[in-house]
């Protein structure tokens, strides 16, 4: 299992090119640096809408643009970076305590999110100032 990185980063996933069409895959704790407990997906996002705008205290995530494109704006407590996701063989890995917003969704985009934890509303940090305070501890 790859060591758990501490910074948000793009991971390149396996890609099997075939004239019948391409195939990508990932295995928990092999291509993703955490054990996957949950997945969810975001779709039919109206133009101009955004999702997220929060951080998680404990959970790790991998975000993949399975279809279409969108941006992930990530703040690590010091700097903000915009990742444009448009290929299904790239995943954006986010360690815990990454502030993240998803925006700029294209028509028919499909965002897949893999998470290391079951859904737990207590794991959310909703306030950016709280987030910065926790990061500075
Ligand atoms: P939320 O995480 O706030 O969405 P986003 O961050 O993308 O804007 O989730 C929206 C709603 O869906 C909220 O009522 C909680 C619910 N939800 C679940 O019940 N299970 C899940 O795994 C997720 C991600 C959300």
């Amino acid at each position: 299992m790859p060591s758990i990185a501490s910074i948000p980063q793009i991971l390149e996933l396996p890609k099997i090119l075939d004239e019948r069409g391409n195939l990508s895959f990932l295995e928990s704790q092999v291509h993703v640096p955490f054990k996957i407990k949950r997945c969810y997906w975001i779709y039919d996002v109206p133009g101009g809408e955004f999702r997220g705008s929060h951080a998680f205290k404990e959970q790790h995530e991998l975000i993949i643009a399975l279809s279409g494109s969108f941006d992930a704006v990530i703040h690590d407590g010091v700097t903000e970076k915009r990742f444009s996701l448009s290929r299904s063989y790239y995943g954006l890995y986010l360690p815990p305590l990454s502030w993240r917003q998803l925006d700029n969704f294209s028509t028919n985009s499909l965002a897949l999110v893999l998470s290391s934890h079951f859904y737990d509303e207590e794991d959310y940090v909703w306030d950016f100032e709280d987030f910065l305070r926790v990061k500075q501890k």
Side-chain angles (χ1 to χ4, degrees), residues 31-68:
H31 305 98
V32 187
F34 56 84
K35 192 169 180 178
I36 299 167
K37 279 200 174 165
R38 177 171 58 110
C39 65
Y40 59 94
W41 45 101
I42 297 169
Y43 52 97
D44 291 347
V45 179
E49 275 295 347
F50 67 88
R51 303 291 309 222
S53 246
H54 52 67
F56 295 111
K57 295 174 204 161
E58 301 280 344
Q59 65 189 280
H60 300 250
E61 295 183 292
L62 189 82
I63 304 176
I64 304 173
L66 279 189
S67 177

Side-chain angles (χ1 to χ4, degrees), residues 10-14 24-26 31-32 34 36 39-42 61-70 72 85-93 102 105 109-114:
I10 297 286
L11 303 182
E12 185 161 1
L13 302 170
S24 283
F25 61 92
L26 57 81
H31 305 98
V32 187
F34 56 84
I36 299 167
C39 65
Y40 59 94
W41 45 101
I42 297 169
E61 295 183 292
L62 189 82
I63 304 176
I64 304 173
L66 279 189
S67 177
S69 62
F70 55 88
L85 299 173
S86 61
R87 298 286 175 196
S88 59
Y89 51 87
Y90 286 127
L92 174 62
Y93 167 69
L102 305 181
F105 285 88
S109 56
L110 171 57
L112 176 69
V113 185
L114 307 175

